[in-house]
Structures are given as C-alpha cells and as structure tokens.
Amino acid sequence: PGEDRALAAGFLLSEGVVRRADDIGAVEHCRHPDRPDGHNVVDVYLLGESRAALDAMLADRRNVLTNSSCGLCGRLTIDSLKTRASPLPVAWTMTAEVAARLPDGLRERQRVFDGTGGLHAAGLFTPDGACDAFAEDVGRHNAVDKVIGAMLIDDRLPLAGYALAVSG
C-alpha cells in the first residue's frame, strides 16, 4: 500500500534500468483524463543513457509485470542475475547489540502490519541503530524497492553507510 513512486524508482534501480537519480526525469501517478481509476498506475520518464539503453535491456528479458516475488522471476538465465554494481566500501561497524535490535526497530514502525498482520518491512539503519528509511509491503522485495527508491529519488545513493534489515 502506498509509496508507489518509491517502489517504481527502486524497482528500476534494482533491475538495472537506472543507475542514479539523474536517470529519472519524473515519477508521477497517472492523471489521464480517460482513466480516473489510474491512481494505481505510475508513469516513469527516463533520461539520458537509461532512456537510450532501455530497448536493448528489455530485449534480454521476458515481459513481466512487477510483483512481490523474488528476483529470479522474469530472468532468462541465472547469469542475468549478476550485479553490475561495484561493491560498496564499508568503513564502519555495527555492534552485535545494535544488530540484534534491528528486527524490533522494524516491527515498531509497522503500522499497517498492526492492522493486517500480513505485511513485510524493510529499513535502512545507521551504525548506531537509527532508522533512516522504512517501508512496508505485501512483498519483502517490494518493501526493499520502496526503501531504495526513496533514497534514489532523494539522490542519497550510494548507501554505504547503512545496514538493510528486512522482516522474515
């Protein structure tokens, strides 16, 4: 529920369609006059290299709709799962005590889960355990995409200073 713009941006980043905030011109809810029910449709306008490379990238994939499944769905080969991202340098540590508190830090933010009992969560935490970004969704992968997408939209990548915690 909600955070559709962040979900779309995060999905495009995780799928390799975009690499940085500058690759996205806009992410907007559909406002087509003939589609008053289009509130659950998001239009993404790509810029630069991402726009030019889109057709070639899509040629290597099956046509799929995004869903709450794992990252293997929609891939033609296992090799296509290889990341194109460089490893992030990690210049910090997190104590075992802080790491052990992360699941509780997620759970205390899950307002929709409180009412439904059926949503996953993802959060970005600083080395001292502060939650800097959080999202809920039916799919764990979608919750991660929402968190990453929000950071992308805010031009806060890379995320080398954070630990990602997910519900499970």
Side-chain angles (χ1 to χ4, degrees), residues 28-156:
E28 301 175 350
H29 281 93
C30 179
R31 292 188 180 89
H32 194 283
D34 296 335
R35 299 260 338 258
D37 61 335
H39 63 278
N40 63 345
V41 176
V42 178
D43 293 321
V44 179
Y45 300 91
L46 300 177
L47 300 173
E49 293 176 20
S50 292
R51 182 176 180 188
L54 183 61
D55 289 336
M57 195 212 97
L58 291 176
D60 291 337
R61 294 204 33 138
R62 296 182 303 172
N63 291 327
V64 296
L65 296 173
T66 184
N67 55 47
S68 61
S69 63
C70 71
L72 184 59
C73 298
R75 302 297 180 141
L76 295 175
T77 67
I78 295 291
D79 286 339
S80 70
L81 293 173
K82 291 180 182 172
T83 183
R84 291 168 295 283
S86 301
L88 294 174
V90 178
W92 58 273
T93 60
M94 178 179 280
T95 67
E97 293 79 18
V98 170
R101 289 195 311 262
L102 297 185
D104 291 337
L106 278 178
R107 181 61 189 93
E108 70 188 27
R109 289 168 174 77
Q110 287 187 268
R111 301 296 172 244
V112 181
F113 181 89
D114 288 342
T116 65
L119 292 185
H120 283 290
L124 285 177
F125 290 86
T126 62
D128 63 356
C131 185
D132 201 10
F134 170 83
E136 286 182 286
D137 200 282
V138 172
R140 185 180 303 111
H141 296 269
N142 287 359
V144 171
D145 280 346
K146 286 178 178 182
V147 167
I148 304 274
M151 300 300 268
L152 173 67
I153 289 170
D154 289 344
D155 200 14
R156 295 178 63 189

